[in-house]
Amino acid sequence: MAERQRSGGATGEAPEDRKPQSDEARSAFTPPLGVPLPPPPEDEHPTSEFAVPEGIAPEPPGEPEGSAFTLPAGAVAPDSSITQTNLLPGYTPPHGGPKVSLTKDTPWQDRMRTMLRMPVGERPAPERAAKQDEPGPPVPRILDLTLRIGELLLAGGEGAEDVEAAMFGVAHAYGLHRCEPTVTFTLLTVSYQPSLVDDPVTANRTVRRRGTDYTRLDAVFRLVHDVTSQGLTLEEAYRRLAEIRRNRHPYPGWALTAASGVLAGAASMLVGGGLVVFLAAAAGAMLGDRLAWLAAGRGLPEFYQFVAAALPPAAMGVTLSALHNYVDVQASAVITGGLFALIPGRALVAGVQDGLTGYYITAAARLLEVGYLIAGIVCGVLIVLYGGVHIGGATLNPEAALQRVERPGVQIVAAMLLSFAFALLLQQERHSVWVVTLNGGVAWVVYGALADTAGLDPVPATAISAGLVGLFGQLLSRYRYASALPYVTAAIGPLLPGSAVYFALLNFAKNELNTGIASLTKAAALALAIAIGVNLGSEMARMFLKVPGEAAGRRAAKRTRGF
């Protein structure tokens, strides 16, 4: 005990200091006394087991991956004049295509079509500097404005590609550059994804009612041009859109009925009719127009409206044919003129154009609509023709009606009058009516020179004439920053296959199926030639006519080559 006390006193430690420390006070990893502590770890510079140790040089970067369709380095093309640095246009360079210049001097249709053909990652973002305290764009309102503009364009008969270009242009102008519009026959959809980690916002709108008003269509095109080029605010764009929707049609109902009569009369003169035929065809067409308005007021579908509109012209022609002993009138020309006023040329051209530009669902729907409308015309005309031929004793002779009388002066005037009346029916602006009238006259002059003077087959002659119509229409629309439809649709009126459709129906009524099918096939070939010619003329204008300024090239869809 004494030793312990002496030992404790010698060290000078208190008894409580000699207690063993707890586990929290010392650790198995604590170095013993006398061993220096290791340096603290550098937390701000962590290392990785995949890091290259000091003293070892990193591996050189690998060569960029090439393409299976790119010529090897040093290889020579078949013509021995093109190497790796001078590739053919058909080859894709390994580092991507050239940069596309999208200036605001070009029409917005060209700029937006170019961007729609680009992948989303390659599209240029809007050129605006975002401020730190500035809130983001009001996405729901922008999408709503985009859908409302697309609805007016689609309901007015615009092609699906132009509707998508307009929708994308509006959304892009307000800062939604990661935007994808989709257009089908009755449904408009637009989707916006803010970033790769944010949820996308999608809105859609259904087009349930269609109407032909090219004045409203031009106003919408001007609005899209101002939004994409002049930077209208959302409030200004909404106000102008409301004004466009409130505007009434430029022509009253009686003027439209009179225009349908003038159109039918002018068409009857194109196929050899005189003054009496003109008046008879005009009276039948105006009566048919009133019956169609009555059917529409009763809520009947458009199919039955066309059936009602086709009855009076056919009845007028059959009546004149039954009175051939008293009145010497070409009854077939009367019925043909009435059919010209009913053939849905606008929907036909739009349907074929959608198919040629790759919108196959919309094209199939439009062509199916054309088929139903033509079926309504067939039903209305066949009812009257069958009754007139088999019951009333009418003597309708298709062979006699096929004899064309060449009257260049009268036919040119009739063609221009037909285009003028067609433009009024389409509710065009007054300043464009005279332009499209002249365009229709030029189209008929070209067709007559090719078909009558040069003896060319009617199908290629029609395609060439329609190509000139599309070329002139696209040129005028690009100068005015407007839609090409008002300058094209009415001008192709004289080229519509009204006589071929009538001959097919008359042969069907006479139980001559083979001849009727041949005439109907010719009518389909003429309609397809018109649509392809108009589309080809428009594409030629976009390719070679750079107005105004330097237009950006539009990427085309690549051919799949079977895979």
Side-chain angles (χ1 to χ4, degrees):
M1 180 69 66
E3 289 292 334
R4 291 181 179 177
Q5 292 177 352
R6 285 194 299 268
S7 173
T11 57
E13 296 179 355
E16 58 271 8
D17 295 336
R18 294 193 301 269
K19 293 180 181 179
Q21 298 179 355
S22 63
D23 293 339
E24 297 178 357
R26 55 179 189 179
S27 171
F29 297 97
T30 303
L33 296 176
V35 178
L37 295 175
E42 298 180 359
D43 295 335
E44 61 274 11
H45 299 289
T47 59
S48 171
E49 61 181 353
F50 298 102
V52 180
E54 297 181 1
I56 299 179
E59 296 182 2
E63 298 182 358
E65 184 178 357
S67 172
F69 300 97
T70 305
L71 291 176
V76 180
D79 61 353
S80 69
S81 63
I82 300 176
T83 59
Q84 178 68 17
T85 59
N86 185 19
L87 296 177
L88 287 170
Y91 294 95
T92 302
H95 299 291
K99 183 179 179 181
V100 179
S101 176
L102 299 174
T103 62
K104 290 188 177 182
D105 296 333
T106 60
W108 65 263
Q109 299 98 315
D110 291 344
R111 291 185 280 120
M112 294 305 115
R113 286 193 192 98
T114 303
M115 295 183 66
L116 280 175
R117 297 291 178 125
M118 291 182 180
V120 179
E122 298 181 9
R123 293 174 182 171
E127 300 177 358
R128 58 178 64 187
K131 300 180 180 179
Q132 296 294 334
D133 55 348
E134 183 180 358
V139 176
R141 296 197 66 197
I142 296 175
L143 296 184
D144 178 70
L145 177 66
T146 301
L147 290 173
R148 290 179 182 273
I149 291 177
E151 179 189 11
L152 290 179
L153 292 176
L154 187 62
E158 192 63 60
E161 186 179 31
D162 291 329
V163 176
E164 281 195 4
M167 295 174 62
F168 184 78
V170 173
H172 188 269
Y174 288 117
L176 307 186
H177 59 281
R178 301 181 63 89
C179 185
E180 282 294 335
T182 304
V183 176
T184 58
F185 184 57
T186 58
L187 183 64
L188 299 168
T189 305
V190 58
S191 179
Y192 169 66
Q193 188 172 10
S195 65
L196 296 178
V197 297
D198 294 329
D199 295 332
V201 181
T202 303
N204 56 57
R205 197 173 184 89
T206 303
V207 179
R208 303 188 184 276
R209 186 178 179 181
R210 300 176 182 273
T212 304
D213 189 346
Y214 282 177
T215 300
R216 178 179 295 178
L217 192 68
D218 275 342
V220 176
F221 261 73
R222 286 193 296 268
L223 173 60
V224 176
H225 168 67
D226 294 342
V227 168
T228 56
S229 302
Q230 300 181 7
L232 291 182
T233 64
L234 272 176
E235 299 301 330
E236 294 173 344
Y238 265 109
R239 184 172 62 254
R240 288 185 53 178
L241 185 63
E243 293 175 356
I244 292 172
R245 298 179 70 95
R246 284 195 302 264
N247 283 345
R248 303 182 61 182
H249 299 305
Y251 308 109
W254 63 267
L256 299 180
T257 301
S260 64
V262 173
L263 191 155
S268 66
M269 295 182 67
L270 282 179
V271 294
L275 180 60
V276 178
V277 172
F278 179 93
L279 296 176
M286 287 190 290
L287 183 58
D289 182 76
R290 288 294 92 190
L291 285 179
W293 277 100
L294 181 61
R298 296 290 181 178
L300 291 178
E302 199 170 10
F303 174 84
Y304 300 104
Q305 298 176 26
F306 272 77
V307 173
L311 291 174
M316 186 71 68
V318 170
T319 302
L320 293 176
S321 177
L323 299 175
H324 65 279
N325 294 329
Y326 306 97
V327 181
D328 186 13
V329 176
Q330 193 177 359
S332 299
V334 176
I335 303 176
T336 302
L339 291 177
F340 263 90
L342 298 177
I343 294 177
R346 173 182 58 86
L348 175 66
V349 172
V352 176
Q353 181 178 358
D354 288 340
L356 294 176
T357 52
Y359 295 83
Y360 301 114
I361 297 178
T362 308
R366 288 186 189 271
L367 294 178
L368 185 61
E369 179 191 26
V370 172
Y372 272 104
L373 298 182
I374 292 179
I377 299 173
V378 168
C379 291
V381 175
L382 275 183
I383 291 172
V384 178
L385 289 182
Y386 188 84
V389 171
H390 295 278
I391 301 175
T395 57
L396 294 172
N397 189 3
E399 288 78 11
L402 283 172
Q403 298 177 0
R404 290 190 55 187
V405 180
E406 296 184 10
R407 300 177 298 174
V410 175
Q411 289 178 335
I412 292 174
V413 173
M416 297 180 67
L417 191 61
L418 190 153
S419 299
F420 174 79
F422 203 173
L424 294 184
L425 288 175
L426 294 175
Q427 306 276 2
Q428 292 190 199
E429 293 182 340
R430 290 176 173 84
H431 68 82
S432 65
V433 170
W434 308 108
V435 177
V436 75
T437 300
L438 181 61
N439 199 7
V442 172
W444 182 259
V445 169
V446 174
Y447 173 79
L450 294 175
D452 297 335
T453 305
L456 191 64
D457 187 81
V459 175
T462 302
I464 295 173
S465 304
L468 291 177
V469 169
L471 182 66
F472 294 153
Q474 188 63 226
L475 177 61
L476 292 172
S477 69
R478 289 163 67 84
Y479 270 115
R480 299 187 61 86
Y481 294 97
S483 172
L485 288 181
Y487 302 99
V488 170
T489 306
I492 65 172
L495 305 176
L496 293 176
S499 58
V501 173
Y502 164 70
F503 297 147
L505 300 182
L506 182 57
N507 286 307
F508 287 152
K510 286 176 163 293
N511 292 326
E512 299 176 0
L513 298 181
N514 293 332
T515 309
I517 291 175
S519 298
L520 195 61
T521 303
K522 180 181 178 181
L526 290 173
L528 189 62
I530 292 173
I532 293 178
V534 168
N535 181 263
L536 184 59
S538 301
E539 293 297 330
M540 296 291 288
R542 295 193 188 108
M543 289 174 60
F544 299 110
L545 301 179
K546 309 293 186 181
V547 288
E550 181 99 12
R554 182 181 62 164
R555 291 190 178 185
K558 294 183 179 179
R559 188 159 58 95
T560 58
R561 303 182 186 273
F563 56 84

